[in-house]
Amino acid sequence: MNPSVVWTIARRELREALRHKWLWAYVIGFAGLATALSGTSLAAAGYAGLGGFGRTAASLVNALLLFVPLLGLSIGAGSVAGDRERGTLLYLLSQPVSRGEVLAGKAVGAGLALMLAVVLGFTLAAAALALGAGGDPGAFLALTAYTLLLGWAMLGIGFVVSVSSKRSASAFGVGLLIWLGFVFLSDLGVIGVTLAFKPTPAMLLAALVANPLQAFKLGAIFSLQSSLDVLGAVGQYATRQIGTGLPFALAGLLVAWAAGAFGTAYVLFTRRSDL
């Protein structure tokens, strides 16, 4: 794989993403959300208990859970399927490049576009935080990192959908269904399993972190509070069993999701005989 070819395709993908108004709409919306988060959660980190954590902070973390996966899935779902539908993919593959280089370049470019949206949003939030002279910079950076890892994980899943779809409309539709499944159905499933089988804290923790959104949520709460006691027995079990390695374990789960998704997309794309 030629790095210069990959980077050339990545720059093209990034330019295409920057031309879309929806990306800047995401940036503006995310900036407002991240700024509100910095002002309500990070400026008063370090409480104990659910009441101390605050309803507003919990609501905004949940809002990130809704916003970031949708951003990653939207960018990923339109990447390959959109070029296939417009005929651009045929033009790219007619050049002296391999399928792997095309997909890697598109993945790098889309990942940079997503990172731009996340970092710009949190940069504006950091400015608001600095003006307020409050908050924990370490917690702020940790939350930014978790958000970016979640976005990349969902971007990879979006690439799997895009590689498997012939039309961008169908890719976006499947991506939306996946988003709904991760955000709503998985939570309802965990609640149902809990009510029906009354699992142990270890089993419930495993069911939670199997969902990348829940892994992000645990990491976000831990970064804001340095504790998962607000989650009851499950949080106390995770803190006791994993200890200081918990933030790295949660980050590793998100990295594994991203690597697995992009790896799956790479295999599917390189082995397809059609476009």
Side-chain angles (χ1 to χ4, degrees), residues 73 154 157-158 161 171 173-184:
L73 285 168
M154 303 310 292
I157 296 173
V161 173
V174 173
L176 182 59
L177 290 176
I178 292 175
W179 175 75
L180 290 172
F182 274 125
V183 171
F184 297 109

Side-chain angles (χ1 to χ4, degrees), residues 201-202 205 222 228-229 232-246:
L205 177 63
F222 192 87
L228 293 179
D229 290 343
V234 176
Q236 293 171 4
Y237 175 84
T239 304
R240 184 175 64 252
Q241 293 296 117
I242 305 176
T244 57
L246 182 61

Side-chain angles (χ1 to χ4, degrees), residues 58 61-62 65 187 212-222 228 231:
V61 170
N62 287 328
L65 282 172
D187 278 350
L213 275 68
Q214 294 299 332
F216 163 80
K217 187 175 183 178
L218 293 177
I221 294 174
F222 192 87
L228 293 179
L231 300 180

Side-chain angles (χ1 to χ4, degrees), residues 6 12 15 27 29 94 118 122 129 138 155 167 195 198 200 224 226 242-243 248 262:
V6 173
R12 171 195 170 273
R15 286 195 301 268
V27 170
S94 67
V118 172
F122 273 109
L129 185 63
L155 178 68
R167 296 184 178 276
L195 293 176
K198 294 180 173 58
T200 64
L224 291 172
S226 299
I242 305 176
F248 303 100
F262 280 114

Side-chain angles (χ1 to χ4, degrees), residues 243-265:
T244 57
L246 182 61
F248 303 100
L250 294 172
L253 284 170
L254 293 174
V255 170
W257 266 98
F262 280 114
T264 301

Side-chain angles (χ1 to χ4, degrees), residues 13 18 26 44 60 63 88 98 111-112 115 144 147 153 164 183 210 219 221 251-252:
E13 190 74 12
L18 294 179
Y26 274 127
L60 287 171
T88 310
S98 67
L112 290 174
M115 184 174 68
T144 304
T147 303
S164 306
V183 171
I221 294 174

Side-chain angles (χ1 to χ4, degrees), residues 13-14 17-18 23 27 71 75 108-118:
E13 190 74 12
L14 180 59
L18 294 179
L23 178 64
V27 170
L71 172 61
I75 296 176
V108 171
L112 290 174
L114 186 143
M115 184 174 68
L116 174 65
V118 172

